[in-house]
């Protein structure tokens, strides 16, 4: 039984695991100003980035789904690990050897299930890569050579060979201390009549890695005529590997995808290799399944696609009927991207790998450069099935293409493709074609939805929020005036809760040092339900002031909230005066009047200070 990880080690793991670097292995982050970074949230599907990271305080928060925390929390959530497993994973990444308070050093075998399976897959990948060099693997080396790949290329992609034996890998991994249960659970072995046997035998092997570079599964290509299995065999779904959520090559391509704002989708492992080696380093492929919604989510996090339509996703398909069908399937998901989406089809039916062998690297680059907009491809592929020499054929083609055009959400783009469709069919009657599209495709699909109007924010609540952000992020700017505020100065329930946390932590006077240390102190005192999430959110949400003006802004916000409190006192004084008889209760009335004059004067002063922002 593993002991408790020492607090000092947990702190060291946080210190040596820069949150921007760790999160940057999963999503593309861009500068959002004020020391903050922003990207598309990996925890929910969104069109525009609302996921914020603040490296200075080591925190992240998504304003779309309210997920937030520190670097350990992120690894827990993104990898589905326990707290201890997340710390161990980060420690391994940072080269830190953990110590435990009960029992000293804990050997690797006591780590969590995921870490154990990752280690097993790493060992299996090394085993397969070594076996590619043995005499029996000559058939595999010949396969690679015939497709234009050299030994260095195989090493770059980790290509290996599974011996044509029943238990070669199983014996090796059992000898390394892994259990039969782990091998079967990870999909490396399966149960035979007399015990576990290797899942892959006599096949060329490609290790499949996640975005962080960990091997999570394998793809295996048949080499031997005696193998009666399918041409390609993949790791089954396991705790590590979900085929609908995996893209082969993403570990190598992710940085170039982010840099170029481009992703190229190909159909096989050798196509990915060919593209990368030919100068198209943004290529990835699905693994034993068609391209789907989960794959889109992976790519969007690295593309950071937004309404600017700057990025592009390019699908490559064979020029045959099956390739066209695959492209049309992709069309169904096209508008889940905000980027521009294209199809690159080689007319002679060559895939990128064969194209590179026959025509060279430049031909692969030319294929990608000759991409065609996916809408255009889908429409033209549809109408190509009809005889356009007759009116009947033209009408049938128009009716078949109409739902595609009607489904284009962008109104301007939909109109342009309607005009193109008229030209391609030869009607030369745009009004007729547009009317037919509306009738057959259903114009209602194309009506732009009116964006919901955000509820107006109470100015006083906005002031409360800005002041609390300053209290969490820049406590030294507020001083004793903040700690002296009446708790009733905060009215929004979340603000009331967070103010209590700040007071419980000793007020901003106790957080003069600021930074991560102050946020940790607040988290320690965040006992109410939801309070920790509030601390995280307010530690990440940008302050609405430039860095050089924060001190003046803090003074203005303090003055504004004090002015709001004076407003309430004025309202109360006026209410009490209205209930008094100025003749019969003259003394009390005059006293209240004097207080009211003083409050009005105080409000003017505070309003002037607040206006200084």
């Amino acid at each position: 039984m593993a002991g408790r990880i020492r607090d000092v080690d947990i702190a060291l793991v946080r210190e040596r695991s820069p949150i921007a670097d760790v999160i940057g292995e999963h999503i593309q982050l861009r500068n959002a100003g004020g020391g903050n970074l922003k990207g598309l949230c990996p925890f929910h599907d969104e069109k525009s980035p609302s996921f914020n990271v603040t490296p200075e305080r080591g925190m992240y928060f998504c304003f779309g789904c309210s997920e937030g925390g520190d670097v350990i929390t992120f690894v827990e959530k993104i990898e589905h690990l326990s707290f201890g497993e997340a710390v161990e994973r980060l420690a391994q990444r940072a080269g830190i050897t953990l110590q435990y308070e009960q029992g000293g050093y804990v050997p690797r075998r006591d780590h969590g299930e995921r870490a154990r399976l990752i280690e097993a897959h790493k060992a299996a990948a090394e085993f397969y890569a070594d076996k590619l060099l043995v005499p029996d693997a000559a058939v595999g080396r010949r396969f690679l050579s015939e497709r234009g790949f050299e030994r260095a290329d195989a090493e770059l992609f980790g290509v290996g060979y599974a011996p044509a034996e029943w238990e070669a890998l199983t014996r090796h991994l059992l000898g390394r201390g892994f259990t039969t249960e782990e091998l079967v659970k990870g999909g490396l072995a399966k149960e035979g009549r007399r015990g576990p046997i290797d899942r892959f035998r006599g096949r060329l092997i490609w290790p499949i890695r996640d975005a962080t570079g960990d091997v999570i599964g394998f793809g295996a290509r048949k080499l031997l005529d005696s193998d009666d299995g399918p041409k390609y065999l993949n790791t089954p779904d396991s705790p590590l590997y979900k085929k609908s959520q995996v893209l082969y090559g993403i570990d190598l391509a992710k940085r170039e995808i982010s840099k170029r704002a481009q992703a190229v989708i190909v159909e096989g492992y050798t196509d990915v290799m060919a593209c990368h080696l030919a100068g198209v380093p943004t290529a990835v492929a699905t693994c034993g399944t068609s391209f789907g919604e989960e794959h889109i989510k992976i790519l969007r996090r690295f593309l950071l696609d937004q309404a600017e339509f700057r990025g592009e996703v390019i699908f490559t398909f064979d020029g045959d009927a099956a390739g066209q069908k695959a492209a049309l399937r992709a069309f169904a998901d096209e508008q889940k991207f905000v980027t521009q989406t294209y199809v690159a089809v080689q007319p002679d039916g060559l895939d990128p790998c064969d194209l590179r062998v026959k025509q060279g690297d430049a031909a692969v680059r030319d294929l990608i450069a000759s991409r065609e907009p996916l809408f255009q491809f889908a429409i033209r592929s549809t109408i190509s099935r009809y005889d356009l020499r007759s009116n009947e054929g033209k009408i049938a083609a128009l009716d078949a293409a109409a739902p595609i055009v009607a489904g284009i959400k962008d109104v301007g783009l939909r109109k342009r493709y309607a005009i193109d469709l008229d030209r391609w069919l030869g009607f030369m009657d745009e009004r007729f074609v547009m009317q037919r599209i509306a009738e057959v495709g259903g114009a209602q699909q194309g009506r732009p939805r009116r964006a919901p109007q955000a509820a107006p924010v109470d100015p006083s609540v906005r002031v409360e929020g800005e002041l609390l952000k300053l209290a969490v992020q820049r406590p030294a700017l507020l001083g004793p005036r903040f700690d002296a505020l009446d708790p009733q100065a905060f009215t929004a329930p979340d603000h009331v809760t967070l103010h209590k946390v700040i007071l419980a932590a000793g007020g901003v006077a106790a957080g003069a040092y600021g930074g991560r240390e102050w946020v940790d102190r607040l988290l320690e005192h965040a006992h109410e339900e939801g309070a920790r999430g509030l601390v995280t959110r307010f530690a990440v949400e940008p302050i609405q002031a430039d860095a050089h003006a924060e001190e003046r802004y803090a003074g203005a916000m303090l003055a504004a909230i004090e002015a709001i409190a004076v407003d309430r006192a004025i309202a109360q004084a006026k209410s009490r005066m209205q209930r008094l008889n100025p003749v019969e209760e003259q003394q009390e009335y005059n006293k209240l009047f004097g207080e009211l004059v003083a409050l009005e004067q105080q409000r003017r002063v505070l309003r002037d200070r607040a206006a200084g922002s």
Side-chain angles (χ1 to χ4, degrees), residues 13-48:
V13 165
R14 282 198 181 99
E15 179 184 333
R16 295 190 184 174
S17 302
I19 192 166
D21 292 350
V22 173
I23 293 179
E25 293 177 353
H26 296 270
I27 66 174
Q28 164 73 346
L29 293 171
R30 292 184 181 167
N31 194 330
N36 287 340
L37 302 170
K38 183 176 280 191
L40 289 169
C41 181
F43 302 116
H44 82 287
D45 195 20
E46 60 179 4
K47 287 292 185 184
S48 58

Side-chain angles (χ1 to χ4, degrees), residues 248-250 253 257 262-266 271-272 275-276 280-285:
Y248 175 72
I250 192 66
I257 288 173
Q262 178 200 75
V264 175
I265 315 300
V266 298
D271 293 330
V272 171
C275 283
H276 280 250
V280 184
T282 57
V284 293

Side-chain angles (χ1 to χ4, degrees), residues 33-331:
N36 287 340
L37 302 170
K38 183 176 280 191
L40 289 169
C41 181
F43 302 116
H44 82 287
D45 195 20
E46 60 179 4
K47 287 292 185 184
S48 58
S50 57
F51 185 88
N52 286 251
V53 179
T54 305
E56 178 188 358
R57 287 174 288 281
M59 309 295 287
Y60 72 90
F61 189 83
C62 176
F63 293 94
C65 68
S66 298
E67 285 285 355
D70 63 8
V71 66
I72 297 174
T73 311
F74 180 82
V75 173
E76 281 184 78
K77 298 281 177 64
I78 200 75
E79 303 287 358
H80 305 289
L81 304 176
S82 67
F83 177 84
E85 288 171 339
V87 173
E88 288 168 346
R89 185 165 174 80
L90 287 169
Q92 184 180 7
R93 179 185 182 277
I96 298 170
T97 302
L98 297 173
Q99 287 188 315
Y100 296 73
E101 292 184 335
Q102 299 170 6
Y105 292 99
V106 175
R108 180 75 56 186
R109 63 177 176 274
D110 287 334
H111 284 196
E113 178 187 85
R114 181 182 174 85
R116 290 283 297 166
L117 294 181
I118 289 288
E119 287 296 313
H121 279 73
K122 179 182 178 182
E126 292 170 351
F127 173 84
Y128 288 138
D130 289 342
K131 292 301 180 184
L132 185 61
L133 305 179
V134 304
D136 288 348
V139 62
R141 295 194 296 272
R142 186 166 60 252
F143 176 94
L144 292 172
S145 178
E146 290 172 351
R147 284 155 181 78
F149 302 123
E150 301 175 356
R151 177 173 173 177
D153 303 330
E155 290 174 354
L156 173 64
F157 289 89
V159 182
Y161 175 73
E165 304 173 28
W166 289 104
E167 302 166 1
L169 177 67
T170 300
R171 282 196 309 270
H172 175 74
L173 294 181
L174 291 176
R176 293 279 298 272
F178 296 100
T179 67
T180 298
E181 181 183 2
E182 287 171 336
L183 302 189
V184 172
K185 195 165 193 176
L188 297 167
K190 56 185 179 180
E191 291 291 354
R193 285 183 298 218
R194 299 181 181 178
I197 58 174
D198 293 354
R199 180 169 294 277
F200 307 118
R201 301 184 303 279
R203 287 176 174 254
L204 203 59
I205 300 290
W206 282 267
I208 300 169
R209 296 181 171 90
D210 63 14
T212 67
D214 284 332
V215 179
I216 56 174
F218 296 94
R221 209 275 188 191
K222 181 167 68 172
L223 295 171
L224 306 173
D225 292 337
S226 58
D227 188 339
D228 59 359
K231 183 177 178 180
Y232 280 96
L233 192 61
N234 289 84
T235 294
D237 279 2
S238 73
L240 297 182
Y241 182 88
K242 301 287 188 294
K243 64 182 179 182
S244 64
Q245 301 172 12
V246 173
L247 285 170
Y248 175 72
I250 192 66
D251 57 310
L252 296 175
K254 64 179 183 181
R255 296 200 185 282
E256 287 296 323
I257 288 173
S258 296
K259 180 180 175 182
R260 302 185 184 202
Q262 178 200 75
V264 175
I265 315 300
V266 298
E267 292 193 311
Y269 307 122
T270 56
D271 293 330
V272 171
M273 293 175 69
C275 283
H276 280 250
L277 296 171
V280 184
T282 57
V284 293
T286 59
C287 301
T289 185
S290 57
F291 189 84
E293 189 168 347
E294 293 300 319
H295 300 120
I296 291 175
K297 291 179 182 178
I298 295 171
L299 286 181
R300 290 196 68 234
R301 295 203 298 266
F302 293 108
L303 286 165
L304 194 59
D305 56 340
Q306 299 182 55
E308 291 91 339
F309 276 83
R310 288 178 298 196
E312 56 185 33
V313 175
I314 304 168
F315 293 91
T316 64
F317 299 105
D318 294 343
D320 58 14
Q324 290 191 6
K325 186 175 180 182
L328 292 174
R329 279 201 308 270
F331 170 80

